[in-house]
Amino acid sequence: MSDHAQHGPGGHGKDHVPHILPLSTYFKTWGALMVLTVITVGASYLNFGPGNLVLAMLIATAKAATVALVFMHLYYDHKFHGVIFVSSLVFLGIFIAFTMFDTETRGRAEAMEGEHPANIKDPFGGTASEAAAKAKLKPAAAPAHH
Amino acid sequence: MSAPAEIVEGQPSAERGSPQFEVAHHFDSADTQFDAGRMGVWLFLVTEILLFGGLFCTFAVFRSWYFEDFVEAHHHLNKVMGGANTLVLIGSSLTMALAVRAAQMTDKKQTTRMLVITLLCAATFLVVKYFEYSAKFEHGLLPGAYFHGEGFQGTHAGVFFAIYFLMTGVHGLHVLIGMGLITWMLIRNLRGDFSSRYYAPVENVGLYWHLVDLVWIYLFPLLYLVG
Amino acid sequence: MSRSITVDEVAAAPDSGGTDYINATKGVWSWLTTVDHKRIGIMYLVSVLTAFALGGFFALLLRLELLTPKHTIMSADTYNQAFTLHGVVMVFLFIIPSIPGALGNFFLPIMIGAKDVAFPRLNLLSLYLYWIGAIFALSSILSSGLDTGWTFYVPYSSTTNTAVVNVTLGAFVLGFSSILTGLNFIVTLHKLRAPGVGWFKMPLFLWGLYATSIVQILATPVLGITLLLLVFERTLHIGIFDPALGGDPVLFQHFFWFYSHPAVYIMILPGMGIISELIAVHAHRKVFGYKAIAFSSVAIALVGFLVWGHHMFVAGQSELASTIFSFLTFLVAIPSGVKVFNWIGTLWGGSISFKAPMLFALSFLFLFTIGGLTGVFLGMLSVDMHLHDTYFVVAHFHYVMMGGTVTAFVGGLHHWWPKMTGRMYSEKLAVLSCALYFIGFNATFFTQFLMGSRGMPRRYYNYLDQFQPLHAFSTFGSWILGAAFLVMLYNLLNSLKNGERAPKNPWGGLSLEWETASPPVTENFVHVPHVEHGPYDYAATVARRAS
């Protein structure tokens, strides 16, 4: 590794120059985060029903965005780093949403099956109640074969 | 990865700020190396978000199923301690950001100071956490099979406390790892590794630390405030 | 991307000499502490091939046991452990790290004209994590074994007395290794491409690896938390997956498959990348539809995150979720189809040389197409009700994973073997091994489609007598398959000793790895290459040479 000198610092172009933010930016950011924390704690003592969760998440997201944009320099950084960060949230969203497609909608078919029990002996023949249900759903459906 | 200092062409290395730092052999410039490191850390943070994401998903599913039980159980968490810890963590995020800024300006003393404060905040956070945990242990507010809290209407408070301990536990582990990393940065800073030319490790540990803060920003309202 | 290097000469590496990466330094220690991506790639190669041999050994035992409907060579408990270990070893220790770890590590930096990956020490760490994870996982063999199947489904995995914790911790560590490799590759591709190597001048193998890395970053952490939850479930009874405590075992499957379905694309995407290389180089023709192949890799990676529920159609998942997952599953067929048609389009009118790598690539096309299309059957709700947990599923994923990924891997291994080792293997033996492989594979697994569609359930120790002829046929096939790998192993190892010295560019490829020496020098190129032509500009190159 070390014998590879032709790309020593001389040949490497300019040094990295840091992007320094003024102190006041940091303190303002900190102030905003403190205020938002107080607001969210305060709001939790009031009852908005489901609104509590929404409000708490909105405030948390505002805080998270502030931290990411200023403290983590995302606002001043390459856009691609922002894309990376946001993509993690998108895929997390997919994960939670698709899992809940399942957990929130279980047990619907059982109720329908209960109303229209299948005839085990003649599963494709259809029972009277099923035929009625079919007729209700699809009036033009062809009669079942026997 | 840095090449030894001898190969600097005739320049006394002390003048260059960080004697230990040279651009690694496979990068074409300091900027590229710096950006590569940052991009790597951001990608790593993605994995952290999805790791915690699994727990958030668990929370979402069970909160929706056992809403009443969760609301009831969350009243047993200590809002004051949780809120205080939130403030402590936000403060530590500020000092961490200021430590990076000081390193960017080659202000070694200020970097040290800020890193030490960050470390103290982190320790405070864990001490508060310790008191919270002991209180839960005392009242039998434990995960799953071990739950034996008294006076609960709902039957699924154990699920809530399982998620509570998992989320805060994994988060606490990250705080602990963060303390290790910050200590390491402190040692390197005292050794004089960092300057405006080279402060990437401080910056990257900073990113990690802010993420720990970020996760807490969501954990706190979900667990302590709305349940 | 702005770059300050202005070296404009095309790399002119020495043909041979003592400075290649193998001879650069001596001794085991120099290998264990190396940060050279090529050496790390070689160590990965040896490791994953060892894992493959171990997993293959279990597979042969399983097939032997299934030769007769009742007890043949092992007890039912041993059988359960053997198929679990076959799965765990093949998935976590072989197929996931195989192509990225071995061929990816070796060739990704070379193909973009870089000296190394972005984080060489992290790369070494990822190899060490692989070893540590492997030790954890395999320690189960010495203790109480594991009989959950590679999927660790609760509630069985949270109650069985076997070494679930060892293996899950092993898989957790292996996940870290996988993440670090993916992270390294993404940053390397973004930051270290040599002057002239634009995104669309990269060889398609790298697009495959890029897409793979995205999946590794996004999906693997969820496996990590899943396995942690499982460990806590076992040790502390947290109840998240235990219905008695209010938990939900199906939730485990969501968590598991949110990783493990995309992980299927971690396995196949690099293989597809290799096939693009093999077909273009050995047909000496510009890839048909470069961008379509490149973007279809990324599309597969992304769509792959939306389909995991098709593993859970009969697990108690809601009908709504199953319907959505079933519909989305069909979408995967689109980018996969795009790839297959583009490969065929590339072959059309090419001057094809039927060397071993090309034969493997053609085998891939045949086997992967069958594997992919049977996947569509399984994605269909009504059909899956019948085929779920039968040998049809076993056959399907072996056609994709083995017929797809392993075929591509060994094809790539033959393609790049001269570059990696500096030696030529015997073409005759290579063709023989490919023929045996193709015959043995189909004999083993096509029969399983037949059995599965007739209702033979997977993972059963005993079976009805009527299935014996097919089971026996499949077992005979597995012996041919085993023989194919023995021939291949002999051929490759023998070449190290007795093979002819490989020229710089034995196949007439145009991508950057063919411009450096065989084997390459320590930092890949003597000068930073400046690339002027694309990796597949065969017509243009021929014209230039003629003029």
Side-chain angles (χ1 to χ4, degrees):
Chain A
M1 212 182 356
S2 56
D3 57 355
H4 227 86
Q6 80 261 39
H7 290 304
H12 267 69
K14 60 186 187 327
D15 273 349
H16 173 72
V17 180
H19 179 267
I20 302 173
L21 299 177
L23 268 183
S24 59
T25 311
Y26 287 102
F27 283 106
K28 277 180 204 157
T29 308
W30 176 70
L33 291 171
M34 296 300 256
V35 170
L36 286 170
T37 306
V38 172
I39 293 177
T40 189
V41 173
S44 77
Y45 287 98
L46 308 173
N47 187 6
F48 304 115
N52 276 71
L53 178 70
V54 176
L55 186 66
M57 284 300 96
L58 283 178
I59 294 176
T61 303
K63 285 166 76 179
T66 315
V67 171
L69 289 173
V70 184
F71 284 170
M72 299 171 96
H73 292 242
L74 212 47
Y75 183 75
Y76 315 93
D77 207 343
H78 295 284
K79 282 210 178 65
F80 187 68
H81 296 174
V83 172
I84 293 174
F85 180 58
V86 171
S87 71
S88 74
L89 302 178
V90 170
F91 281 88
L92 178 56
I94 290 173
F95 178 34
I96 296 179
F98 276 59
T99 302
M100 291 184 87
F101 280 153
D102 167 29
T103 60
E104 292 300 294
T105 62
R106 284 197 198 149
R108 288 189 183 175
E110 280 82 348
M112 289 182 218
E113 280 168 17
E115 259 178 63
H116 312 290
N119 181 358
I120 305 284
K121 282 184 183 156
D122 186 15
F124 301 106
T127 59
S129 63
E130 249 187 307
K134 261 184 202 160
K136 221 185 283 173
L137 284 171
K138 288 186 247 165
H145 298 281
H146 287 284
Chain B
M1 219 35 44
S2 49
E6 300 90 90
I7 66 160
V8 176
E9 296 130 3
Q11 287 156 318
S13 49
E15 276 178 29
R16 302 184 64 90
S18 309
Q20 276 80 359
F21 174 68
E22 299 302 338
V23 176
H25 72 121
H26 56 295
F27 288 108
D28 63 359
S29 74
D31 267 341
T32 312
Q33 181 172 358
F34 185 87
D35 286 347
R38 264 180 87 82
M39 186 189 281
V41 173
W42 272 109
L43 289 169
F44 176 71
L45 296 188
V46 166
T47 69
E48 290 281 18
I49 289 169
L50 282 149
L51 181 95
F52 279 103
L55 296 174
F56 281 105
C57 180
T58 321
F59 180 84
V61 167
F62 289 114
R63 181 182 188 271
S64 158
W65 280 2
Y66 309 133
F67 178 68
E68 305 292 325
D69 301 28
F70 269 47
V71 171
E72 185 190 13
H74 102 277
H75 285 302
H76 292 262
L77 298 186
N78 192 328
K79 265 191 208 182
V80 177
M81 282 195 180
N85 255 351
T86 308
L87 299 182
V88 166
L89 219 47
I90 288 175
S92 78
S93 243
L94 172 71
T95 55
M96 188 72 227
L98 291 178
V100 175
R101 184 174 182 274
Q104 286 178 327
M105 300 170 76
T106 326
D107 187 345
K108 188 174 149 187
K109 261 192 190 160
Q110 180 71 357
T111 311
T112 307
R113 215 174 288 143
M114 286 300 136
L115 286 176
V116 168
I117 299 178
T118 312
L119 213 48
L120 289 175
C121 286
T124 311
F125 180 89
L126 288 181
V127 169
V128 173
K129 203 85 245 153
Y130 169 78
F131 284 114
E132 277 190 79
Y133 274 14
S134 345
K136 302 285 165 297
F137 279 50
E138 216 171 283
H139 296 108
L141 306 179
L142 293 170
Y146 294 100
F147 178 82
H148 56 277
E150 281 167 17
F152 280 81
Q153 304 292 316
T155 48
H156 293 119
V159 177
F160 177 84
F161 284 103
I163 295 174
Y164 164 78
F165 275 104
L166 280 168
M167 285 182 132
T168 55
V170 176
H171 180 261
L173 183 69
H174 279 78
V175 173
L176 214 59
I177 294 169
M179 288 176 74
L181 292 172
I182 294 168
T183 310
W184 178 36
M185 287 304 108
L186 198 57
I187 293 168
R188 287 192 67 179
N189 182 54
L190 292 172
R191 214 164 61 187
D193 281 7
F194 303 127
S195 71
S196 63
R197 286 183 66 233
Y198 179 66
Y199 59 91
V202 192
E203 162 119 45
N204 292 339
V205 169
L207 285 175
Y208 170 85
W209 189 252
H210 295 310
L211 186 90
V212 173
D213 186 23
L214 261 178
V215 172
W216 184 258
I217 282 176
Y218 280 95
L219 280 190
F220 170 61
L222 282 179
L223 292 172
Y224 290 78
L225 300 183
V226 296
Chain C
M1 196 174 3
S2 69
R3 297 197 154 264
S4 55
I5 295 182
T6 51
V7 183
D8 54 355
E9 38 191 321
V10 174
D15 282 312
S16 64
T19 56
D20 66 61
Y21 77 101
I22 302 170
N23 295 318
T25 47
K26 297 274 178 202
V28 175
W29 187 245
S30 80
W31 280 79
L32 291 178
T33 56
T34 186
V35 288
D36 184 338
H37 65 98
K38 296 183 289 301
R39 286 184 156 207
I40 293 173
I42 294 291
M43 287 190 280
Y44 256 117
L45 180 65
V46 173
S47 311
V48 297
L49 288 179
T50 311
F52 183 65
L54 183 66
F57 171 72
F58 285 122
L60 289 172
L61 285 184
L62 291 173
R63 280 313 325 162
L64 189 54
E65 169 54 42
L66 291 166
L67 189 59
T68 65
K70 300 262 153 49
H71 174 95
T72 314
I73 53 160
M74 58 176 88
S75 71
D77 280 339
T78 315
Y79 173 80
N80 287 346
Q81 303 207 347
F83 79 65
T84 301
L85 280 165
H86 167 68
V88 167
V89 168
M90 284 301 196
V91 170
F92 293 112
L93 295 181
F94 170 64
I95 203 163
I96 287 177
S98 62
I99 297 177
L103 298 176
N105 256 326
F106 198 105
F107 288 104
L108 181 139
I110 302 182
M111 283 176 156
I112 55 170
K115 290 177 184 170
D116 209 319
V117 292
F119 310 114
R121 281 181 300 185
L122 205 62
N123 202 16
L124 184 64
L125 175 67
S126 128
L127 174 65
Y128 274 95
L129 288 176
Y130 169 82
W131 284 338
I132 294 168
I135 290 170
F136 259 103
L138 295 178
S139 69
S140 68
I141 301 180
L142 300 176
S143 56
S144 47
L146 181 73
D147 61 355
T148 60
W150 77 276
T151 50
F152 313 115
Y153 272 9
V154 292
Y156 186 64
S157 63
S158 58
T159 51
T160 171
N161 288 323
T162 51
V164 177
V165 173
N166 294 30
V167 182
T168 44
L169 287 180
F172 184 81
V173 175
L174 289 166
F176 257 103
S177 162
S178 177
I179 286 174
L180 294 182
T181 302
L183 186 155
N184 225 333
F185 283 1
I186 291 183
V187 177
T188 307
L189 289 177
H190 273 273
K191 296 293 178 192
L192 293 182
R193 280 173 290 122
V197 186
W199 280 100
F200 298 113
K201 283 195 173 177
M202 294 197 313
L204 284 163
F205 178 40
L206 303 187
W207 275 97
L209 287 173
Y210 187 73
T212 306
S213 304
I214 294 174
V215 184
Q216 283 174 309
I217 297 280
L218 287 169
T220 317
V222 175
L223 176 74
I225 196 69
T226 312
L227 297 178
L228 277 187
L229 285 172
L230 177 58
V231 169
F232 287 131
E233 188 76 46
R234 269 184 79 83
T235 53
L236 298 172
H237 308 288
I238 52 171
I240 297 291
F241 301 135
D242 181 357
L245 295 168
D248 179 22
V250 180
L251 193 63
F252 176 87
Q253 299 188 20
H254 279 296
F255 275 53
F256 183 81
W257 287 113
F258 181 82
Y259 165 74
S260 294
H261 193 78
V264 170
Y265 303 112
I266 295 178
M267 305 173 198
I268 191 69
L269 281 167
M272 293 170 156
I274 288 179
I275 295 305
S276 305
E277 297 303 310
L278 301 191
I279 286 184
V281 172
H282 294 274
H284 306 282
R285 191 161 180 279
K286 191 180 176 98
V287 160
F288 179 80
Y290 176 99
K291 285 193 180 175
I293 295 184
F295 287 134
S296 63
S297 290
V298 180
I300 290 175
L302 299 183
V303 177
F305 277 94
L306 307 176
V307 302
W308 79 82
H310 65 219
H311 295 271
M312 301 163 58
F313 287 160
V314 300
Q317 176 177 249
S318 82
E319 293 71 20
L320 174 69
S322 292
T323 313
I324 295 171
F325 280 125
S326 173
F327 171 73
L328 290 171
T329 299
F330 300 142
L331 292 184
V332 181
I334 298 171
S336 309
V338 165
K339 276 185 190 294
V340 172
F341 286 121
N342 278 294
W343 288 324
I344 294 172
T346 307
L347 288 171
W348 186 265
S351 53
I352 302 171
S353 66
F354 289 96
K355 298 270 199 227
M358 185 54 139
L359 294 178
F360 279 112
L362 295 175
S363 308
F364 174 98
L365 283 186
F366 185 81
L367 302 175
F368 174 75
T369 304
I370 294 179
L373 288 178
T374 50
V376 179
F377 303 1
L378 290 168
M380 203 176 292
L381 266 171
S382 52
V383 180
D384 186 69
M385 293 293 155
H386 177 62
L387 295 176
H388 194 90
D389 263 347
T390 68
Y391 266 77
F392 193 90
V393 178
V394 178
H396 156 68
F397 70 69
H398 279 91
Y399 264 82
V400 180
M401 298 290 87
M402 189 170 187
T405 308
V406 176
T407 311
F409 179 55
V410 291
L413 196 58
H414 283 86
H415 180 68
W416 283 306
W417 187 262
K419 182 55 64 182
M420 297 169 85
T421 63
R423 299 287 180 164
M424 299 300 287
Y425 49 80
S426 151
E427 180 65 25
K428 265 187 197 159
L429 283 179
V431 172
L432 174 68
S433 67
C434 182
L436 285 174
Y437 175 82
F438 188 78
I439 295 166
F441 180 87
N442 284 302
T444 310
F445 293 108
F446 200 83
T447 42
Q448 301 189 359
F449 278 127
L450 303 178
M451 281 192 271
S453 61
R454 292 172 192 187
M456 170 73 212
R458 68 192 284 208
R459 292 180 171 172
Y460 273 33
Y461 173 70
N462 290 340
Y463 53 83
L464 298 177
D465 290 340
Q466 71 204 56
F467 290 116
Q468 197 189 1
L470 288 171
H471 264 304
F473 197 87
S474 177
T475 302
F476 298 145
S478 73
W479 296 342
I480 303 177
L481 204 46
F485 282 110
L486 286 182
V487 174
M488 203 182 293
L489 186 72
Y490 168 78
N491 186 22
L492 292 179
L493 289 182
N494 186 48
S495 78
L496 293 179
K497 235 183 162 181
N498 305 319
E500 279 176 46
R501 288 213 171 272
K504 215 158 108 176
N505 191 354
W507 319 123
L510 290 181
S511 43
L512 274 175
E513 78 269 29
W514 305 113
E515 292 187 15
T516 182
S518 299
V521 292
T522 293
E523 288 188 336
N524 302 340
F525 301 95
V526 175
H527 302 284
V528 176
H530 188 97
V531 179
E532 274 149 10
H533 57 75
Y536 309 114
D537 289 343
Y538 287 96
T541 312
V542 170
R544 195 165 60 234
R545 281 187 189 142
S547 66

